[in-house]
């Protein structure tokens, strides 16, 4: 009979919020998907990254603005 209780996190482990679903995630080397809670959440995040869903908004220059260094024009 095993005394290992899978509901108890390993000593030194932290429970953090999963960045994908917001659920609890074990932040410990035993969790192969950390900081995500599962393989599904990890793959969803990777898919969003690969499809460039995670883009930083930028301000496009006006159409009539000169491009490059104005001293060179």
């Amino acid at each position: 009979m095993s005394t290992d209780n899978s509901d108890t996190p390993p000593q030194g482990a932290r429970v953090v919020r999963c960045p994908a679903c917001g659920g609890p995630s074990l932040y410990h080397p035993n969790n192969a998907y950390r900081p995500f809670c599962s393989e599904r959440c990890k793959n969803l995040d990777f898919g969003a990254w690969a499809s460039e869903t995670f883009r930083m908004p930028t301000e496009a220059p006006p159409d009539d603005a000169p491009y490059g260094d104005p001293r060179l024009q």
Side-chain angles (χ1 to χ4, degrees):
M1 180 185 234
S2 174
T3 59
D4 183 28
N5 186 354
S6 61
D7 295 337
T8 306
Q11 188 168 359
R14 290 188 302 159
V15 176
V16 297
R17 199 178 104 226
C18 175
C21 71
S25 175
L26 186 64
Y27 196 80
H28 190 268
N30 289 351
N31 179 4
Y33 311 113
R34 73 173 185 249
F36 303 99
C37 64
S38 65
E39 183 178 17
R40 178 184 177 273
C41 284
K42 183 177 180 180
N43 287 336
L44 286 172
D45 185 79
F46 179 70
W49 174 83
S51 66
E52 297 184 358
T53 302
F54 296 140
R55 283 194 242 168
M56 295 298 293
T58 61
E59 239 179 76
D63 290 335
D64 59 348
Y67 295 99
D69 189 349
R71 294 174 289 177
L72 301 176
Q73 295 180 1

